[in-house]
Amino acid sequence: MSELLLECQNLSFSYHTPEGEIPVIRNMNFKIYKGEFVSIVGPSGCGKSTLLNLLTGMLSPEEGFVKMSVSGEEKPRFGYMLQQDHLFEWYDIWKNICIGPKINHCLDAECEQYLKELLKRYGLSAFIHKKPSELSGGMRQRAAIIRTLAMKPELLFLDEPFSSLDYQNRLNAANDIGQIIRKENKTAVLVTHDIGEAISLSSRVLVLSKRPTAVKKEFLLPYRDMNLTPLEIRNTKDFGTHFNAIWKELNNS
Amino acid sequence: MEGVEQQLKEKIPISDRQRQYLHQQHVKKRTIRLFRILILIAFLALWELASRLEWIDSFFFSSPTRLADCFVYMTAENALFTHIGISLLETMLSFLFIMTFSVACASLLWRFEYVAKISEPVLVILNSLPKSALAPLIIVWLGTGMKTIIIAGISVALFGCIINLYTCFQNTDPDKQKLIYILGGKKHHVFTKVILPAGVPTIISNMKVNIGLALVGVMIGEFLAAKQGLGYLIIYASQVFKLDWLILCILILCLIAIGLYEILHIFERKICK
């Protein structure tokens, strides 16, 4: 068994409003190991984004705990991609991707070299001084993942990062990002409501139940070791079988 | 148009249709400008004619030639440019103070949420208060002179500007703020990297409104507590029935307002480039 990166045990969380308490997560348990790509799918509004906020420490659990083996250093060792790319329009692409190292005072020559390499590897070198508005949706997503990788995180959290794109761009962006994460040998946790996206990118899919949510079922997928791109995975014979199994589980949740 | 400029810069050939389109746009712009000038000339000519043919009483309504004579006379005898300069100085000082203090206050309110919640009703009341009602009180407290006039100018726009900027800061995309925290940033990083840059368009639009409001405030102040400035000249002219003076001062105020707005427009284009 490979190295354990994240452990979530008996995790519970509720929102408190003047109208009453809304239990969102109850007794959630799962583990993430190094090199895995785990997708979390669940019914709409079940608390997927809340779960990511708990995993990243933006919210504190009411019960249970989240243990991240990669943390413990001053700078965060995890990256986070939000539902939109959230590139800052007032900065050019270079300033956007440098923002993490700059905040953490680690933008040295070595870091700059690493970022320039990433830009070159993923076809954005020519756009280094362009404003985000001058880039296509897919290019913006690539810039956003480079910004996330700038801090060299071991673990990436992806909160429906392609949901703001149209279908064609979405497929391309998921294909690009999936390959980038594999090439950079990162561990990733993707929250999505798109079953196809989850299957094409992941080694494991966790299906969540309705609110208050918990892990209902786990699906192990064989594609991670096959060296296929996410788009190629969508064309494999048993893609539909996995899709139907997860869909059935999701509908019964 | 930026794309075309890029094409020109990179020497990519422009098609005939594109050239025709650009020519049409150019003609359209020039026609609009020409019509504006023609309307102005027609208005001045009609005004002059109506005055000379005594369709209107030139004592009450003046005329362009009377105003031109009045301008020459006042420049020589009444140090008109000194009055204009003083009003401009007071307006600029009021404006600078309004913007500096508003940005500082809105930033503090954004930083300290409790303070914002506590002071919200006070700001709303101060903003809705008719500021001209405050002017006599300010005179009693501070006496007459430039200080009082500048404070009158500030009072007109300050509270509204603080409320606008604070609302803008507060409504900045929470996900963009979250991103900074995720990247290991602190609250001051959120402010300098997200809140302030995202607020630039609102700050500029407030500047455009406030330059006019500062001028209004300064005029109110000068009406009541000045011995110099365009507001003082207007009040003096109305009291001695020198309506040529009065209308000339109003025209000069129009020109000042246009000039100040244009300066801000140029500033906006430079900032948003």
Side-chain angles (χ1 to χ4, degrees):
Chain A
M1 184 67 77
S2 55
E3 190 187 332
L4 180 69
L5 282 190
L6 182 106
E7 187 181 4
C8 185
Q9 211 172 76
N10 297 328
L11 197 68
S12 296
F13 183 81
S14 303
Y15 283 112
H16 298 272
T17 67
E19 286 74 34
E21 185 176 350
I22 307 160
V24 184
I25 293 167
R26 187 170 291 161
N27 275 334
M28 187 172 281
N29 294 288
F30 63 86
K31 289 174 180 173
I32 309 283
Y33 294 94
K34 193 169 182 177
E36 275 195 307
F37 195 122
V38 178
S39 287
I40 298 173
V41 294
S44 185
C46 75
K48 298 188 289 286
S49 295
T50 305
L51 175 63
L52 273 195
N53 283 333
L54 285 164
L55 297 182
T56 53
M58 303 294 290
L59 290 172
S60 302
E62 292 186 330
E63 283 173 41
F65 65 84
V66 176
K67 194 175 157 192
M68 207 184 294
S69 316
V70 286
S71 59
E73 294 182 25
E74 268 183 40
K75 59 181 180 179
R77 298 292 288 172
F78 64 83
Y80 196 137
M81 269 186 88
L82 296 157
Q83 285 180 0
Q84 286 173 350
D85 57 63
H86 288 299
L87 293 172
F88 297 153
E89 291 300 336
W90 43 90
Y91 291 148
D92 60 17
I93 294 301
W94 177 249
K95 279 190 176 170
N96 262 292
I97 63 165
C98 286
I99 201 157
K102 217 169 182 181
I103 284 172
N104 291 282
H105 307 291
C106 57
L107 185 66
D108 50 16
E110 191 193 333
C111 180
E112 281 189 12
Q113 189 58 36
Y114 171 66
L115 290 175
K116 279 176 186 164
E117 264 173 37
L118 284 178
L119 284 167
K120 196 176 166 190
R121 206 178 301 162
Y122 303 117
L124 290 175
S125 284
F127 301 91
I128 195 163
H129 296 304
K130 298 273 183 202
K131 288 280 169 74
S133 57
E134 295 175 83
L135 268 62
S136 68
M139 288 160 106
R140 289 176 68 112
Q141 287 296 333
R142 273 183 273 154
I145 188 90
I146 292 172
R147 179 184 60 196
T148 311
L149 293 172
M151 294 300 294
K152 298 185 181 170
E154 281 180 57
L155 181 57
L156 293 174
F157 294 107
L158 314 170
D159 185 3
E160 301 192 40
F162 319 114
S163 58
S164 60
L165 301 175
D166 59 63
Y167 190 67
Q168 196 185 346
N169 274 323
R170 188 185 176 122
L171 286 180
N172 286 328
N175 195 47
D176 287 348
I177 303 297
Q179 291 187 77
I180 292 170
I181 289 170
R182 192 179 293 181
K183 268 185 204 165
E184 302 300 322
N185 201 22
K186 302 291 179 193
T187 310
V189 177
L190 167 72
V191 159
T192 182
H193 58 262
D194 185 330
I195 301 171
E197 200 170 273
I199 299 170
S200 67
L201 289 165
S202 322
S203 52
R204 195 151 55 104
V205 175
L206 303 178
V207 178
L208 302 185
S209 61
K210 276 184 198 158
R211 218 168 55 193
T213 194
V215 177
K216 195 182 170 202
K217 193 158 183 184
E218 185 179 297
F219 289 86
L220 284 171
L221 298 166
Y223 304 114
R224 193 74 171 162
D225 303 322
M226 288 185 182
N227 210 19
L228 297 173
T229 66
L231 280 178
E232 286 166 346
I233 289 171
R234 284 177 185 265
N235 290 320
T236 54
K237 275 183 192 169
D238 52 353
F239 180 84
T241 315
H242 292 299
F243 188 99
N244 289 334
I246 295 173
W247 172 249
K248 199 175 159 191
E249 199 59 50
L250 203 56
N251 270 345
N252 292 333
S253 58
Chain B
M1 292 303 267
E2 260 177 40
V4 174
E5 279 167 22
Q6 189 75 16
Q7 268 184 303
L8 287 170
K9 226 185 263 176
E10 291 170 9
K11 290 183 182 166
I12 298 169
I14 298 172
S15 70
D16 286 343
R17 275 172 192 261
Q18 177 66 13
R19 209 180 293 279
Q20 201 180 345
Y21 166 78
L22 289 176
H23 179 68
Q24 279 172 354
Q25 291 296 312
H26 183 65
V27 169
K28 206 172 169 183
K29 265 188 188 172
R30 283 185 64 173
T31 313
I32 289 169
R33 201 175 300 160
L34 185 73
F35 267 97
R36 281 177 183 165
I37 294 166
L38 283 177
I39 288 168
L40 180 67
I41 292 170
F43 172 73
L44 292 175
L46 187 67
W47 186 7
E48 184 65 36
L49 199 69
S51 169
R52 289 196 181 225
L53 297 177
E54 294 184 351
W55 296 343
I56 54 172
D57 189 337
S58 57
F59 176 77
F60 290 113
F61 294 98
S62 193
S63 70
T65 47
R66 280 179 71 132
L67 288 179
D69 291 341
C70 178
F71 179 77
V72 174
Y73 172 80
M74 284 178 78
T75 308
E77 300 294 322
N78 297 81
L80 181 62
F81 282 101
T82 311
H83 289 287
I84 294 172
I86 284 168
S87 291
L88 262 178
L89 177 69
E90 288 162 347
T91 306
M92 289 315 291
L93 287 173
S94 302
F95 171 72
L96 287 176
F97 191 85
I98 290 165
M99 288 319 300
T100 315
F101 200 68
S102 300
V103 172
C105 275
S107 308
L108 287 172
L109 291 176
W110 175 81
R111 174 66 185 80
F112 302 104
E113 207 187 322
Y114 268 104
V115 178
K117 291 255 183 275
I118 292 163
S119 57
E120 198 181 348
V122 179
L123 281 172
V124 172
I125 290 167
L126 286 172
N127 184 42
S128 32
L129 200 71
K131 307 305 173 311
S132 48
L134 280 182
L137 195 64
I138 298 170
I139 295 166
V140 174
W141 285 346
L142 299 172
T144 56
M146 196 181 269
K147 195 163 61 179
T148 304
I149 293 157
I150 290 169
I151 287 176
I154 292 165
S155 69
V156 171
L158 182 68
F159 306 109
C161 188
I162 293 173
I163 292 171
N164 282 342
L165 294 186
Y166 170 61
T167 311
C168 160
F169 289 173
Q170 215 186 10
N171 292 337
T172 307
D173 188 348
D175 275 348
K176 282 196 165 71
Q177 300 180 47
K178 184 176 163 184
L179 185 79
I180 297 291
Y181 288 122
I182 289 164
L183 290 168
K186 301 273 183 291
K187 196 137 188 171
H188 69 271
H189 291 118
V190 175
F191 184 74
T192 52
K193 306 229 177 276
V194 178
I195 302 292
L196 209 50
V200 166
T202 310
I203 293 174
I204 290 175
S205 69
N206 269 273
M207 284 167 84
K208 283 181 180 174
V209 174
N210 290 338
I211 194 78
L213 286 178
L215 193 59
V216 171
V218 164
M219 285 304 113
I220 293 172
E222 284 183 351
F223 286 167
L224 298 169
K227 290 271 174 259
Q228 279 176 312
L230 287 171
Y232 160 77
L233 275 187
I234 288 172
I235 284 293
Y236 175 75
S238 70
Q239 282 166 352
V240 295
F241 271 90
K242 285 184 183 288
L243 297 182
D244 288 341
W245 287 28
L246 204 154
I247 293 170
L248 181 67
C249 288
I250 291 168
L251 282 180
I252 291 168
L253 278 176
C254 286
L255 293 176
I256 289 174
I258 294 167
L260 293 173
Y261 187 87
E262 275 305 312
I263 290 168
L264 283 176
H265 193 60
I266 293 165
F267 174 73
E268 181 184 18
R269 274 190 301 196
K270 285 212 162 180
I271 289 280
C272 298
K273 226 177 188 178

